[in-house]
Amino acid sequence: IFQKWVNREISNFDYLIQLNTMAGRTYNDLAQYPVFPWILRDYTSEELDLNNPAVFRDLSKPIGVVNEKNAKTVKDKYVFEDSNFEDPLGMIDKFHYGTHYSNAAGVMHYLIRVEPFTTLHIQLQSGRFDCADRQFHSIPATWQALMDNPNDVKELIPEFFYFPEFLENQNGFNLGQLQLSKEVVNDVVLPKWAHSPEDFIYKHRKALESEYVSAHLHEWIDLIFGYKQRGPAAVEALNVFY
């Protein structure tokens, strides 16, 4: 499979799905759900230019430090340990991130508009929807939050590359209002360059198969599935998780 991918006989999407499967990740387990990378950093332009390397996320870095500003905070946390973190026995290894790039709550967060994930989300939140500001309501805002907050390290799920329906509130759920703008949360707000959920998926998938991503995807794979997951290489890459 690796050789097929190198020879461009299978797509980046297919290769990532196969890697997830070999790593024991499956759609049947929210705690081990397939994980895909954020691949773009431009969610504000009117047009998406896939020939411009500047529109792509740096795939060699964990999402928590794609914004250079966060790197110092993340490094310091590893050196000094988080002062809020209770570890009286000193048994817990040092880490850069107290959360994870893929977990059940994150999957439900993205898929909140689609059953059975809606019901699972409500169960997780003790019988009601989480407050609107914490919900997945906008792709540009979600990216901005990642850039501003080194503790938010969610990567993507495969649905971002093939399933436009999860971006629409087709069931008419009452997801509440944002506190500041009083805006009602309904369909997910898309980047300016996407004219519909279908258009977003089409362009996002095109970005995944682009020349830039094909040349750099192995760097992200090293972080998630490869030699930078643990040990000295992980410490060096700022890629150690609690």
Side-chain angles (χ1 to χ4, degrees), residues 46 49 58 95 129 159 163-164 207 217 224:
E46 300 286 343
D49 178 7
D58 182 344
F95 55 85
F129 284 112
E159 282 81 354
F163 185 49
L217 188 57
I224 306 292

Side-chain angles (χ1 to χ4, degrees), residues 108-190:
M108 290 181 240
H109 175 76
Y110 287 138
L111 294 176
I112 187 172
R113 290 164 179 76
V114 193
E115 288 290 15
F117 304 97
T118 313
T119 298
L120 291 167
H121 167 92
I122 290 169
Q123 285 169 356
L124 183 72
Q125 297 296 332
S126 314
R128 57 190 169 70
F129 284 112
D130 194 6
C131 85
D133 289 77
R134 279 202 295 265
Q135 283 171 26
F136 176 47
H137 58 86
S138 156
I139 293 172
T142 302
W143 174 256
Q144 197 49 53
L146 285 174
M147 291 304 95
D148 296 341
N149 177 7
N151 298 317
D152 188 354
V153 293
K154 276 192 293 297
E155 290 280 10
L156 297 183
I157 52 176
E159 282 81 354
F160 274 83
F161 300 93
Y162 68 82
F163 185 49
E165 287 80 1
F166 90 102
L167 298 166
E168 299 175 278
N169 186 14
Q170 292 186 351
N171 294 311
F173 294 123
N174 177 4
L175 300 170
Q177 280 182 313
L178 301 179
Q179 278 176 327
L180 283 176
S181 65
K182 298 289 178 250
E183 196 184 325
V184 172
V185 174
N186 192 24
D187 294 349
V188 176
V189 176
L190 303 172

Side-chain angles (χ1 to χ4, degrees), residues 77 80-93 95 242:
K77 180 172 188 174
F80 303 117
E81 300 260 4
D82 189 342
S83 52
N84 306 328
F85 196 77
E86 295 293 325
D87 182 22
L89 301 175
M91 304 282 283
I92 294 169
D93 292 337
F95 55 85
Y242 166 55

Side-chain angles (χ1 to χ4, degrees), residues 13-62:
F13 181 89
D14 285 335
Y15 186 53
L16 285 171
I17 285 287
Q18 301 239 22
L19 278 179
N20 272 284
T21 304
M22 291 193 290
R25 290 186 167 274
T26 164
Y27 287 106
N28 300 324
D29 183 352
L30 291 184
Q32 293 290 336
Y33 207 77
V35 56
F36 267 55
W38 283 92
I39 51 170
L40 294 171
R41 59 186 314 155
D42 179 0
Y43 296 95
T44 52
S45 299
E46 300 286 343
E47 296 293 327
L48 181 64
D49 178 7
L50 295 179
N51 295 316
N52 177 5
V55 306
F56 294 97
R57 164 240 179 129
D58 182 344
L59 286 159
S60 69
K61 294 177 179 169

